[in-house]
Amino acid sequence: MSQIKRVVIVGGTHGNELTGIYLVKKFERSPDLIQRSSFETLTLIANPKAYAIGRRYTDTDLNRCFLPRDLENPHLSSYEAQRAKVIYQTFGFAGSQQADFVIDLHSSTANMGLSIILGNENLLNIQLAAYLASINPKVRVLYSTTKNQERSHLDSICQFGCTLEVGAVAQGVLDAALFEETEAIIHAILDYLADHNQAKAPLINDTLTAYHNLGTIDYPRNELGEIQAMIHPRLQFRDYQPLHPGEPIFLTFDGQEIPYEGDSIVYPVFINEAAYYEKGIAMCITEKRELEIKIGLKSQESMVNRNDQ
């Protein structure tokens, strides 16, 4: 497997998510904290203009600007579209400082806990996710896209990497406990990559629980697009918990319950995420899978058996 030569830790992809921003600032003051002997670690505030005004973005969501066709489109002139091109030309494939691994730091108003979001199932990402889940029982692993789907997220600029999504924490607010837990995960990732480069990362014989994205559900709306119901109080903050067919997911303003109409158990995440109201998303629906993993870096082999739950 490829050696990791350069890691980029990114904060401020969204300018009002302060955990990642202030971790990057800490690492910039004390770069020795993130340096490892076998690779270079760089930091980036992805959207400094949005951070300066305390908003998620200025013109458009930066974390939706990395589709290949958009990066190649000279007619996209928004601040975030131009910023995405600069980031890609610097750290993306064949960039001036091409990254081998990206850690993109985010926070959520939803009760996402400590979520590792993977955009693909390459061997290194799976190994890393299994390791992090084995050393910290709070870690949840979420696959954000389906097979062969193009990704628009910042962590797609290189082959290996992940997004760390922590919460619940309000926009524009720092939470000390989540800050420290996020920093601990970052150090664990860097240590694992350092061991990977020396072919001595820990052996893992375990079962990894992973949640695979199936799609999204929007709020009930009227013909004008106005929301007609809220997240049901029995569902609020129950990210990663099972949702059965017929259980209530919304409550109308006059007290009527609206049930989940699917035909199987699902596991909602990003429930009532504040930033997703504008995107027409009340929650994302996932499928829980148990991955039987036997990994040994000495042989560079991985066995994954999927059992859908």
Side-chain angles (χ1 to χ4, degrees):
M1 192 185 299
S2 302
Q3 291 278 295
I4 301 300
K5 299 178 182 178
R6 181 176 291 117
V7 175
V8 180
I9 300 173
V10 182
T13 301
H14 297 131
N16 58 1
E17 297 178 4
L18 299 187
T19 302
I21 291 170
Y22 279 90
L23 277 167
V24 165
K25 288 178 174 291
K26 176 177 179 176
F27 297 149
E28 289 175 346
R29 293 193 304 270
S30 303
D32 57 300
L33 293 174
I34 55 173
Q35 296 307 321
R36 301 296 185 269
S37 60
S38 63
F39 57 81
E40 178 184 26
T41 306
L42 302 178
T43 58
L44 172 70
I45 299 294
N47 197 333
K49 191 172 179 180
Y51 163 59
I53 60 176
R55 292 173 51 186
R56 183 175 174 86
Y57 54 79
T58 61
D59 298 320
T60 191
D61 191 336
L62 177 61
N63 212 30
R64 303 297 185 272
C65 290
F66 290 89
L67 286 172
R69 63 177 177 271
D70 292 338
L71 293 169
E72 296 169 2
N73 187 343
H75 302 295
L76 296 179
S77 59
S78 71
Y79 171 75
E80 278 80 11
Q82 295 299 315
R83 184 66 178 158
K85 293 174 184 179
V86 170
I87 292 170
Y88 185 78
Q89 290 165 4
T90 305
F91 298 117
F93 296 100
S96 59
Q97 300 182 74
Q98 179 176 334
D100 299 299
F101 198 100
V102 170
I103 306 171
D104 191 18
L105 306 176
H106 289 258
S107 58
S108 172
T109 63
N111 190 27
M112 294 297 289
L114 305 175
S115 293
I116 309 298
I117 303 179
L118 304 179
N120 60 63
E121 297 180 86
N122 66 59
L123 179 56
L124 179 56
N125 282 352
I126 292 173
Q127 290 176 333
L128 173 63
Y131 171 71
L132 295 174
S134 71
I135 64 172
N136 188 338
K138 293 183 179 181
V139 167
R140 304 292 181 91
V141 179
L142 173 64
Y143 288 99
S144 63
T145 57
T146 56
K147 188 175 182 180
N148 299 324
Q149 179 183 350
E150 282 192 323
R151 300 184 65 243
S152 59
H153 302 87
L154 189 149
D155 68 355
S156 67
I157 65 173
C158 64
Q159 182 179 2
F160 304 114
C162 64
T163 294
L164 300 187
E165 189 81 54
V166 302
V169 59
Q171 296 173 345
V173 171
L174 281 167
D175 181 292
L178 287 174
F179 183 96
E180 292 181 337
E181 289 177 316
T182 304
E183 183 175 7
I185 291 177
I186 293 169
H187 290 305
I189 292 173
L190 297 176
D191 290 342
Y192 187 90
L193 295 177
D195 287 341
H196 160 83
N197 278 350
Q198 299 178 43
K200 66 175 187 179
L203 301 178
I204 300 172
N205 292 277
D206 208 348
T207 299
L208 172 65
T209 300
Y211 298 82
H212 288 240
N213 180 51
L214 298 176
T216 63
I217 295 177
D218 191 10
Y219 297 92
R221 297 176 186 269
N222 63 17
E223 64 278 3
L224 300 177
E226 298 172 331
I227 288 174
Q228 298 299 292
M230 306 163 282
I231 295 293
H232 197 281
R234 294 209 296 269
L235 183 60
Q236 181 66 38
F237 295 127
R238 288 182 54 82
D239 300 77
Y240 293 108
Q241 300 303 307
L243 174 66
H244 297 79
E247 291 185 334
I249 57 173
F250 296 113
L251 186 69
T252 67
F253 299 122
D254 58 3
Q256 300 297 309
E257 293 184 342
I258 299 176
Y260 171 59
E261 296 180 348
D263 55 8
S264 63
I265 299 172
V266 293
Y267 296 79
V269 296
F270 288 109
I271 299 170
N272 208 13
E273 163 60 49
Y276 287 178
Y277 276 70
E278 68 178 29
K279 299 181 186 301
I281 298 173
M283 68 194 78
C284 298
I285 297 299
T286 74
E287 175 183 64
K288 183 179 180 181
R289 302 179 186 178
E290 300 295 332
L291 311 183
E292 295 179 5
I293 301 175
K294 184 177 181 180
I295 300 174
L297 283 187
K298 292 181 179 179
S299 62
Q300 300 292 349
E301 296 177 353
S302 176
M303 180 180 71
V304 179
N305 296 320
R306 294 170 175 81
N307 296 309
D308 296 351
Q309 301 296 307

